[in-house]
Amino acid sequence: MTKIPHRLYLTEDQMPKQWYNLRADMKEQPDPIINPATMRPAVEEDLYPVFCKKLAHQEMDAQTRFVDIPEPVQEMYKIYRPSPLIRAYELERALDTPARIYYKFEGNNTSGSHKLNSAIAQAYYAKEQGLTSLTTETGAGQWGTALSEACCYFDIPLTVYMVKVSYEQKPFRKSVMHTFDANVIASPSETTEVGRRILAENPKTTGSLGCAISEAVEKAVTTKGCRYVLGSVLNQVLLHQSIIGLESQTAMEILGEYPDIIIGCAGGGSNLGGLIAPFMRDKLTGKANPRIIAVEPASCPSFTRGKYAYDFCDTGKITPMARMYTLGCGFIPSANHAGGLRYHGMSPILSKLYHDGYMEAVSVEQTSVFEAATYFAKHETILPAPESAHAIRAAIDEALKCKESGESKTILFGLTGTGYFDMTAYASYQEGHMQDYIPTDEELQKGFDSLPHIPDIQ
């Protein structure tokens, strides 16, 4: 029997030429988004003031199973893709587990994460439409960095609203974005009406992704030739990120493997949705039945403690409303170190799949996450991003269960990025200063109280 290599890279010719739209195979579709101006289901044209037209079409398209990846996007992908599928031999050995552990490593680019997969597509469509600028938000800074790279490549000015706590924790992320000519603003800020309102209500707020989204959208809709782009949650983003799962499935087929368990960290859902896409298709069509596990921070438990309800996608309540697992758009999470997972809601696609029982979810505390991250780094030599380490935590736990049962299961998890800009977090853990925070039911209720009332619906 041929030994499975530590790393498998597909060739450029083996890279997917199309993205996969998971909604085309879902037995029941996510509920339609609601236009807050009309309180009725939105149509594609309602999204044109906010999104590029082709992205608005992708957002609403639930029928097209495969979408061609534009040639210029494929060419930029080849700068850093295909990404490797790695067999975690050293981690397996350290855990003394019969499980076979694989991870798809998306950190081989300057952003250090999977976010570039969608950033390139969104910047390309903006350039194609003739737009003159873009706005976005960023939590940990990975999305802001990725979009800065893509916008620089396609020569489009970019303004990034960065969640204030991350802006202060990760100054070097700002430096990278500045390298790619982006304008970076700590959010909430005095530069927008919604930012000023949020600061007036809570001058000491550390911010949230919901706040930053509100500012970025306001900037987009009040600036000629400008549109807003988002790095997670949206259907269009999960479409672009499907390249992760498609590459993973092809690589595993080459190795003669198929995952029994697929694990991804979950904040808004972009990497998880991308990783699981073709495997979820197999599950929906009856071809296979893998366990799919979403892992989220205990401090921001959208899946495990949230409500499945319509909610605004931003704190300022200016975006359309989506039915998703949410903590309420008014929920401000603790300033933990997994900035990319501090979003109050979850992808409508993933929310529907979770609600219908096609996937599981667990929440983990950040000290346990950093314990797993450190253990992984010592054995696999990659320092993982705090977000990614949530998936590592669950993968280790599942591998230890295999050790107890003697089962040789195949585990696949997403290593979404590197943690080299997160050294203050690692230092906090190493020095014993890191604290776990789990919101009380009473604290969560404050967020639920902000859920909108929609006549005849909610």
Side-chain angles (χ1 to χ4, degrees):
M1 181 178 176
T2 304
K3 183 176 184 292
I4 291 173
H6 282 74
R7 289 188 174 216
L8 176 61
Y9 285 90
L10 302 179
T11 66
E12 288 186 3
D13 290 339
Q14 292 171 316
M15 284 176 61
K17 303 298 189 295
Q18 296 176 309
W19 294 303
Y20 167 58
N21 183 2
L22 180 56
R23 283 170 294 168
D25 286 308
M26 290 177 64
K27 292 178 172 56
E28 292 186 22
Q29 290 297 310
D31 291 291
I33 59 174
I34 299 294
N35 183 335
T38 64
M39 287 297 182
R40 297 178 63 83
V43 296
E44 183 179 314
E45 290 74 16
D46 291 343
L47 304 181
Y48 289 170
V50 178
F51 299 123
C52 307
K53 289 184 178 179
K54 285 196 175 176
L55 292 171
H57 178 72
Q58 290 177 358
E59 187 64 27
M60 305 297 277
D61 181 7
Q63 286 77 43
T64 308
R65 183 170 280 102
F66 290 98
V67 178
D68 289 340
I69 303 174
E71 191 67 33
V73 175
Q74 290 188 49
E75 286 303 305
M76 192 176 179
Y77 275 174
K78 290 173 184 175
I79 295 173
Y80 66 100
R81 302 200 73 83
S83 67
L85 179 73
I86 303 175
R87 175 74 181 268
Y89 279 116
E90 300 307 318
L91 181 62
E92 291 173 17
R93 194 171 292 120
L95 294 173
D96 190 27
T97 177
R100 297 183 300 281
I101 306 174
Y102 293 87
Y103 56 96
K104 182 66 164 167
F105 180 45
E106 290 290 313
N108 283 339
N109 63 77
T110 299
S111 75
S113 82
H114 68 293
K115 295 289 188 178
L116 196 54
N117 300 328
S118 186
I120 293 170
Q122 296 192 52
Y124 166 76
Y125 287 125
K127 186 71 173 182
E128 183 187 51
Q129 189 173 322
L131 298 176
T132 53
S133 66
L134 291 175
T135 67
T136 196
E137 81 298 327
T138 194
Q142 293 175 336
W143 169 245
T145 306
L147 191 62
S148 299
E149 290 180 64
C151 284
C152 184
Y153 184 89
F154 289 109
D155 193 25
I156 303 172
L158 172 67
T159 299
V160 179
Y161 289 89
M162 188 172 184
V163 176
K164 185 178 291 182
V165 63
S166 292
Y167 184 94
E168 294 167 349
Q169 287 175 347
K170 302 174 184 180
F172 297 125
R173 276 285 181 192
K174 288 179 288 181
S175 299
V176 178
M177 287 184 256
H178 288 153
T179 299
F180 292 100
D181 299 327
N183 177 32
V184 187
I185 299 171
S187 174
S189 74
E190 295 287 349
T191 67
T192 65
E193 182 179 332
V194 69
R196 290 188 290 271
R197 188 171 74 241
I198 291 169
L199 286 171
E201 294 172 357
N202 185 2
K204 295 183 179 181
T205 181
T206 57
S208 71
L209 282 168
C211 297
I213 290 170
S214 295
E215 292 205 90
V217 171
E218 179 182 322
K219 172 73 173 176
V221 299
T222 58
T223 305
K224 184 178 180 181
C226 183
R227 293 295 186 276
Y228 166 73
V229 292
L230 177 62
S232 192
V233 181
L234 297 177
N235 301 335
Q236 57 190 274
V237 179
L238 269 67
L239 173 72
H240 305 148
Q241 293 296 354
S242 67
I243 193 169
I244 302 173
L246 293 167
E247 283 188 6
S248 299
Q249 189 173 62
T250 299
M252 297 201 86
E253 286 173 355
I254 291 171
L255 298 175
E257 286 275 37
Y258 193 93
D260 298 298
I261 304 171
I262 306 163
I263 301 169
C265 63
S270 64
N271 96 89
L272 176 64
L275 176 66
I276 70 172
F279 304 105
M280 181 62 80
R281 174 183 60 198
D282 291 348
K283 189 162 184 156
L284 290 168
T285 58
K287 182 179 177 181
N289 190 30
R291 281 181 65 207
I292 296 174
I293 305 174
V295 192
E296 62 184 6
S299 60
C300 193
S302 307
F303 268 142
T304 52
R305 297 176 67 195
K307 291 185 181 296
Y308 189 46
Y310 270 103
D311 195 13
F312 288 96
C313 296
D314 69 311
T315 302
K317 301 183 179 182
I318 59 177
T319 59
M321 292 173 281
R323 193 177 186 201
M324 58 185 174
Y325 276 89
T326 179
L327 299 172
C329 66
F331 178 77
I332 302 294
S334 69
N336 72 350
H337 291 285
L341 304 184
R342 282 200 300 256
Y343 183 60
H344 65 271
M346 191 62 64
S347 153
I349 292 175
L350 297 181
S351 292
K352 177 62 175 172
L353 291 168
Y354 177 67
H355 187 71
D356 290 349
Y358 290 102
M359 48 189 278
E360 308 168 28
V362 296
S363 65
V364 288
E365 298 174 12
Q366 68 173 351
T367 52
S368 176
V369 167
F370 275 85
E371 177 188 40
T374 302
Y375 190 85
F376 177 85
K378 288 177 178 177
H379 296 289
E380 291 291 320
T381 76
I382 298 172
L383 188 75
E387 294 83 3
S388 311
H390 286 67
I392 294 171
R393 174 72 273 168
I396 289 175
D397 291 344
E398 291 297 327
L400 291 175
K401 291 177 185 176
C402 288
K403 180 179 179 179
E404 292 177 6
S405 68
E407 295 175 281
S408 183
K409 292 183 178 180
T410 299
I411 299 171
L412 169 65
F413 71 88
L415 180 49
T416 59
T418 55
Y420 304 119
F421 289 101
D422 300 284
M423 296 318 299
T424 54
Y426 275 94
S428 175
Y429 172 74
Q430 292 159 2
E431 294 164 7
H433 302 316
M434 183 174 285
Q435 300 291 318
D436 289 323
Y437 173 76
I438 301 176
T440 64
D441 290 343
E442 290 74 21
E443 288 171 321
L444 291 181
Q445 188 59 47
K446 293 178 182 178
F448 298 146
D449 289 342
S450 69
L451 291 174
H453 172 68
I454 307 173
D456 302 322
I457 298 177
Q458 169 178 301

